Amino acid sequence: MTPGGAGVAQRHDQPTGGPAGLIGSGYEPGGAPGARAAVVDGPHDGPYDGPGTAPAHAPPHGVHAARTAEEVLGGYLHRQSSDFLRSLRLHRESGSDAEGAGEAARQLRRAARRISATLHTFRPLTEETWADQLLAELGWLSGTLGREQTCAARRERLMAALTRLTGRGERSDRPDRGTRDAGATRTAPNPADRGSTASASGDPDADAALSAGAARAGALLDRQLTLARTRAHSAALQALGSSRFHAVADSVAVLASEAPLAHAAAELPAADALLPLADQAHRRLAEAVAALPLARAGHPYNAEALAADHRQDAPWHQVRLLVRLARYAQEVIAPESADLRLADAARALDSHRAAAEAAAAAAAAARTPRIAPATAYALGVLHADQRHHVEAARFAFGRVWLSRSPERPAWGDAP
């Protein structure tokens, strides 16, 4: 039991505080159908299949007919809540070990994502008021803890991109012109590399302008993102010491011993109760992907992602959240089965989100008042480079999604 704050564990018929809602970045108007943000954003760790209404492969070990929904769903929630509490203990014991604290926070957020997604997908089998309140509070906690890691990863990505675009990391390794092999072959370019290769083969004046502004652009981004990371770190420390956090931890401790499930969950067979809800999660995902411009994204160098209106990213971000919901639903029903295509699709969408947010950070830095023209130019090149990575991620996701066979296997074919 977690001391402080709430003092005692909250029962399943008592509110944990905070507004009821869903975890994630929130619903965005114009998003994909059924794309309610019910999963915390963060480092991805799982897959989805292709354009159907069910997983790409029938689970080899599905829901056993003899088990009830309460046994299957309650057991999964018990395991994830135990992982949450274990990660919380490791975080407290890490002390001044920043690396250990960071790893513990990642594991804590991993468990929080699974708890929240399970409560969302299988909501009709839970005590809904209690589940909605815990869902909202886990979203607040995981989002607060994840901002520092996000800022650090974004800074590292943008600094590496600036180094690559200016070629500063390669100059010491470049051979002299006289020693180059005149018969060397050239490989086909990747859509994500277009921004990095444009300056190398373009106007020397543009190269000079980029080199002149890159150092100042890097310094500006470093200041902004370091400040954001520092603020996120302070917010995380403040959250971990708050009474609100202790109330969340106490609620998860109750969940580890007694899942707040509806009475029907104890009576219905797991296959009858869980499979339709898991299928519904997959149908929502399939409908959301059907609304994406996959046909256009399937053409390399289509320039769709370079449009000025970045609201076009919202449906892709919503699909990313729905991929997680579908994956965690499959994890509840068939924990021993995993679709590698799902992992590939999820990685592509994670890359899409990281590139889109990095591009937005570069654009925001370019709007800083009174910056030099060369600095603004370097930030513009950096923005375009990251939008090319957005385009490449969409292309990769489309190839993974459309590679699946259209046949729909049966869920839960268990011995």
Side-chain angles (χ1 to χ4, degrees):
M1 199 65 63
T2 306
V8 295
Q10 299 285 335
R11 290 180 53 83
H12 62 268
D13 55 350
Q14 296 176 338
T16 58
L22 295 173
I23 294 178
S25 56
Y27 175 77
E28 300 182 44
R36 298 167 66 192
V39 185
V40 177
D41 287 340
H44 186 80
D45 50 4
Y48 186 63
D49 46 12
T53 57
H57 303 288
H61 301 285
V63 178
H64 199 283
R67 303 181 68 188
T68 66
E70 182 181 41
E71 292 173 333
V72 175
L73 186 57
Y76 183 84
L77 288 171
H78 293 332
R79 291 191 297 273
Q80 298 306 323
S81 55
S82 298
D83 289 345
F84 180 99
L85 297 174
R86 187 182 306 110
S87 301
L88 178 58
R89 176 176 57 81
L90 293 175
H91 189 277
R92 288 176 172 172
E93 293 176 352
S94 61
S96 59
D97 181 7
E99 183 177 352
E103 179 59 28
R106 280 189 288 272
Q107 294 178 8
L108 188 149
R109 295 178 65 235
R110 179 180 182 273
R113 285 198 301 271
R114 281 163 168 76
I115 294 172
S116 61
T118 302
L119 293 177
H120 172 74
T121 300
F122 301 101
R123 185 172 180 269
L125 299 176
T126 67
E127 294 187 6
E128 296 180 358
T129 301
W130 190 94
D132 289 346
Q133 290 171 341
L134 178 57
L135 221 158
E137 295 302 281
L138 286 173
W140 161 76
L141 175 62
S142 187
T144 302
L145 296 181
R147 290 191 191 103
E148 180 181 1
Q149 180 186 357
T150 299
C151 290
R154 189 172 302 153
R155 176 191 174 279
E156 181 179 355
R157 180 187 185 97
L158 289 172
M159 295 299 104
L162 271 177
T163 300
R164 171 172 48 80
L165 289 168
T166 57
R168 286 177 292 175
E170 301 175 357
R171 286 173 185 169
S172 61
D173 300 330
R174 290 177 180 171
D176 294 336
R177 290 182 180 272
T179 61
R180 289 180 180 173
D181 183 3
T185 60
R186 301 180 111 184
T187 59
N190 186 297
D193 297 332
R194 243 188 317 170
S196 62
T197 58
S199 63
S201 59
D203 187 354
D205 292 339
D207 292 345
L210 178 59
S211 298
R216 291 185 179 181
L220 176 60
L221 286 168
D222 182 65
R223 287 196 304 271
Q224 292 182 347
L225 294 174
T226 300
L227 176 61
R229 181 181 181 181
T230 301
R231 290 174 175 171
H233 181 72
S234 299
L237 292 178
Q238 185 177 3
L240 289 173
S242 67
S243 59
R244 184 178 181 182
F245 165 74
H246 291 300
V248 175
D250 287 341
S251 296
V252 175
V254 171
L255 185 63
S257 59
E258 182 183 1
L261 301 180
H263 294 298
E267 302 172 355
L268 294 174
D272 295 343
L274 300 180
L275 297 184
L277 296 174
D279 273 339
Q280 185 178 40
H282 285 276
R283 282 196 300 271
R284 288 176 177 173
L285 174 57
E287 292 169 2
V289 175
L292 295 177
L294 287 186
R296 183 169 178 81
H299 295 284
Y301 306 135
N302 60 77
E304 178 75 14
L306 304 183
D309 186 5
H310 290 170
R311 288 178 297 179
Q312 62 167 296
D313 295 333
W316 295 85
H317 296 333
Q318 293 295 325
V319 168
R320 173 179 170 272
L321 297 178
L322 289 173
V323 165
R324 287 191 172 181
L325 286 178
R327 183 216 181 232
Y328 296 150
Q330 182 177 354
E331 201 172 83
V332 172
I333 294 174
E336 297 182 5
S337 77
D339 187 350
L340 296 181
R341 284 196 188 95
L342 194 55
D344 293 338
R347 279 192 290 268
L349 290 173
D350 280 342
S351 178
H352 176 275
R353 175 174 174 252
E357 293 183 348
R367 291 191 290 269
T368 303
R370 297 184 298 278
I371 61 174
T375 305
Y377 174 75
L379 289 169
V381 173
L382 181 61
H383 174 269
D385 172 76
Q386 293 303 302
R387 294 306 302 180
H388 283 305
H389 280 273
V390 170
E391 179 185 315
R394 293 179 182 180
F395 176 77
F397 173 77
R399 293 190 66 180
V400 170
W401 181 272
L402 297 174
S403 67
R404 176 185 171 257
S405 173
E407 287 83 8
R408 180 185 183 276
W411 267 100
D413 292 339

